[in-house]
Amino acid sequence: MPWFLYPLIAINIFSFLLFGFDKFRALRHGRRVPEKTLFLVTFLAGSVGSLLGMYTFRHKTSKTSFQIVIALLVLVQLAIVAFVWHTLRALPA
């Protein structure tokens, strides 16, 4: 497996667990993870883990504004990946 996949896998596992932890805290009326933190982890390449966490734990799925921000972050990530991919392919071998 390429070396660069290890940090991506790690951040997505962390993101998934963070959504689960926040749901756990929400159910027990404990101190919550700030939405800004959830957004930051999603933006830092944790979008797959965030989406899996949202729907696995049914967390923040009824909050439309939250889902819109997550969707925009995923689109920004896809645009960045497409740009980098296109740029790297254009470089001479």
Side-chain angles (χ1 to χ4, degrees):
M1 183 164 35
W3 66 269
F4 62 86
L5 290 181
Y6 292 110
L8 288 175
I9 291 169
I11 189 90
N12 279 285
I13 289 171
F14 176 74
S15 179
F16 178 80
L17 294 174
L18 191 62
F19 271 79
F21 176 73
D22 192 41
K23 177 66 174 195
F24 174 80
R25 296 299 295 222
L27 292 173
R28 282 157 183 74
H29 306 289
R31 187 176 175 136
R32 305 283 303 278
V33 176
E35 284 188 359
K36 288 180 183 181
T37 303
L38 296 174
F39 292 146
L40 178 64
V41 171
T42 301
F43 179 72
L44 296 175
S47 58
V48 173
S50 294
L51 292 172
L52 287 174
M54 280 177 62
Y55 292 104
T56 299
F57 302 115
R58 293 189 182 109
H59 187 51
K60 304 256 187 205
T61 54
S62 63
K63 190 171 182 184
T64 306
S65 61
F66 187 86
Q67 286 188 346
I68 289 171
V69 173
I70 293 291
L72 289 174
L73 290 173
V74 170
L75 289 174
V76 167
Q77 279 186 344
L78 289 173
I80 291 169
V81 168
F83 174 77
V84 169
W85 178 264
H86 178 69
T87 302
L88 290 176
R89 291 196 66 199
L91 293 176

